[in-house]
Structures are given as C-alpha cells and as structure tokens.
Amino acid sequence: MRKPIIAGNWKMNKTRDEALQFIYAVNMDLPSREYVETVICPQAPVLRDLVKRQGEALRIGAQTMHEATDGAYTGEISAALLENLGVDYVIIGHSERREYFGDTDARVNLKLHQAFRHHLTPILCIGEQLEDRENDATETVVGTQLDAALKGLGKDQIEHLVIAYEPVWAIGTGKTATIEQAEATIAFIRRRITETIDEAVADKVRILYGGSVNPDNLPALLKTPNIDGALIGGASLSAKAFIQMADAALNR
Ligand code: PGA
C-alpha cells in the first residue's frame, strides 16, 4: 500500500504571523506520519520558521528551487540551502512556474536531479491545458512532460518521487476534474512509468491529484485505486480544511 500524501501549496499567501498561527492550529491534530504524510509549502522566507515549529506529523516543502548549485542567480533559491534549512520536499515544475517563470521540461529535469543531490523529495507537477484536453491530447502532453522530467534519473530516485497530476484548467478555477478524468490520467501516468522504467517502480511512486481540491471533493478522489493524495492550493490555507483533508486520507 502506498502511503497517502496531503500537500498544501500556499503559493504567494500568508504573512509570517499567519503561517505560525496555522502551524500551531494544525500540529496536534494531524494524523501520524506512519499513516499519512502531510506537507505545507509556504513562501520561502518562512521556511525555517515552520521547520523549527513542525510537529511530529507535519513536514515542510519549498515551492520551487533553482537547478544550479550556486552562483549569480539573483532572487533564486538553491537546493543546498533548502537542505540546510531542514526542508524535506520541494515542488518542481508547478504550472504557474512553467507559465510565468520559465520552467521548461529541460529545466524541470535538471531541477529534479539537483533536488535528489540534496536529499529533497520532489513533488513533480505535470498537467495539460484545457485546449489539450479538448483536442484529446492529454496523454500526449502529460506523457511528454513525464518522460522529459524523468530523463536520466535512477529507479531508486523515481520510486521516491512524488508526482502531482494537475490539469491546468482545474487550478484555482473551482473546476475539479471529474473523478473519472483524474483517475484515468493518473492510471495512464502509472502505466507510462511501467513501460519506460518498470512495474515495481510504478507501483511505488505516489501520484497525487491537484486542481480545486477541497474537503468535500477529496474523499471520492481518494477512493480510486491510483490517486494517492492531493496537492492543494486554496483550500490548504485554512487550518480546519487542511486537518479535514488529512483525516480524509487517513480514513480512505
Ligand atoms: P488549487 O491549486 O487547489 O487552488 O486549485 C492547486 C495547485 O496549484 O497546486
């Protein structure tokens, strides 16, 4: 059985005070890591504050990182610093990074290699645009993103990777993919890993759904055979909703 993951992507939200309030509100009420992995990805300047206050259950992730080891990249964040801060996860290739900040498939691949060098667990985001889905090109687009991202990674790395399938048209729109659409594309991703890597790795890799997930729609998503959790934006800003979603993963 794959352990479920409930990961919150706060994007550019919450001040330090709000982030600390959230941590104190959720710490005692999250399920044990033995059963569910819970992760919060805040804005970078509060990463250390949250790492220091994470309870037994919660772990902290970054929203992005740069692929280079260090150097003249003003405003960027290195994997070495994330590791040094005690951060455990890093989101790589989120569709907003792909759209606004130049995260191409090639850079996403370099970032994954760099994240593994620094013992971070990457949460790799892939997903199609509305136009791709309407043109029946979802599998082509998602398959291409996946193959490019995994290039040159070892099996031991890929089995520790977390993949988030996030249809771009469902992010922040209130428009969730149907359970059938989410499950079918996630099953496709797992099949693709069976074909290009092997079945044992495909069985182990956790694949999350993301896009307008909330406490109401999550339980049904978690009942499917291939969906191992969720990457949640808007609804993860509420401590109460985050606890409810972690509980849904515990009780799935
Ligand atoms: P959303 O964001 O839950 O607000 O749609 C999901 C994401 O961008 O990861």
Side-chain angles (χ1 to χ4, degrees):
M1 266 307 272
R2 294 179 294 267
K3 197 195 288 187
I5 302 182
I6 297 299
N9 171 14
W10 281 354
K11 309 190 182 187
M12 203 172 73
N13 293 293
K14 288 200 192 287
T15 61
R16 177 174 184 270
D17 290 347
E18 290 164 349
L20 296 185
Q21 260 170 26
F22 179 100
I23 286 284
Y24 294 131
V26 300
N27 260 345
M28 302 302 290
D29 290 322
L30 292 174
S32 159
R33 278 191 87 61
E34 206 180 320
Y35 307 113
V36 181
E37 284 176 41
T38 49
V39 185
I40 283 293
C41 305
Q43 297 186 74
V46 296
L47 282 168
R48 181 65 186 158
D49 284 316
L50 299 201
V51 165
K52 282 202 293 204
R53 293 167 180 84
Q54 71 192 10
E56 297 275 321
L58 189 67
R59 289 296 175 270
I60 305 303
Q63 296 176 9
T64 185
M65 48 159 266
H66 197 270
E67 62 272 25
T69 300
D70 51 23
Y73 301 100
T74 302
E76 285 290 343
I77 305 164
S78 70
L81 175 58
L82 295 179
E83 180 184 24
N84 183 239
L85 293 176
V87 166
D88 286 300
Y89 297 78
V90 58
I91 299 174
I92 293 192
H94 188 279
S95 64
E96 288 150 19
R97 301 291 316 175
R98 292 177 188 259
E99 186 176 350
Y100 309 128
F101 303 102
D103 277 8
T104 59
D105 281 343
R107 288 188 73 196
V108 165
N109 175 251
L110 293 172
K111 287 178 191 224
L112 289 176
H113 282 274
Q114 185 66 2
F116 279 120
R117 273 182 212 114
H118 289 278
H119 312 105
L120 300 164
T121 299
I123 302 176
L124 163 68
C125 298
I126 54 179
E128 82 287 359
Q129 307 276 345
L130 184 56
E131 191 186 336
D132 303 322
R133 181 155 288 271
E134 286 170 352
N135 293 334
D136 236 356
T138 298
E139 293 192 356
T140 312
V141 170
V142 169
T144 305
Q145 289 174 339
L146 182 71
D147 295 349
L150 302 188
K151 220 165 150 190
L153 294 175
K155 289 182 188 178
D156 53 327
Q157 295 174 318
I158 298 172
E159 68 182 41
H160 289 113
L161 182 68
V162 179
I163 298 174
Y165 165 59
E166 300 203 307
V168 178
W169 48 272
I171 295 178
T173 56
K175 219 164 128 182
T176 342
T178 64
I179 309 290
E180 293 73 26
Q181 286 170 328
E183 167 62 16
T185 309
I186 288 177
F188 161 77
I189 293 168
R190 212 178 286 291
R191 277 201 307 281
R192 183 81 159 209
I193 296 175
T194 302
E195 286 160 19
T196 57
I197 313 294
D198 73 30
E199 194 172 350
V201 172
D203 276 347
K204 283 192 186 146
V205 68
R206 266 91 53 88
I207 312 182
L208 317 181
Y209 169 76
S212 300
V213 171
N214 60 45
D216 296 330
N217 59 28
L218 181 63
L221 287 161
L222 292 175
K223 288 209 162 54
T224 57
N226 281 291
I227 303 180
D228 302 318
L231 179 59
I232 304 137
S236 74
L237 295 168
S238 149
K240 184 171 164 228
F242 190 72
I243 293 167
Q244 282 172 347
M245 293 186 285
D247 283 343
L250 179 67
N251 300 318
R252 74 179 174 156

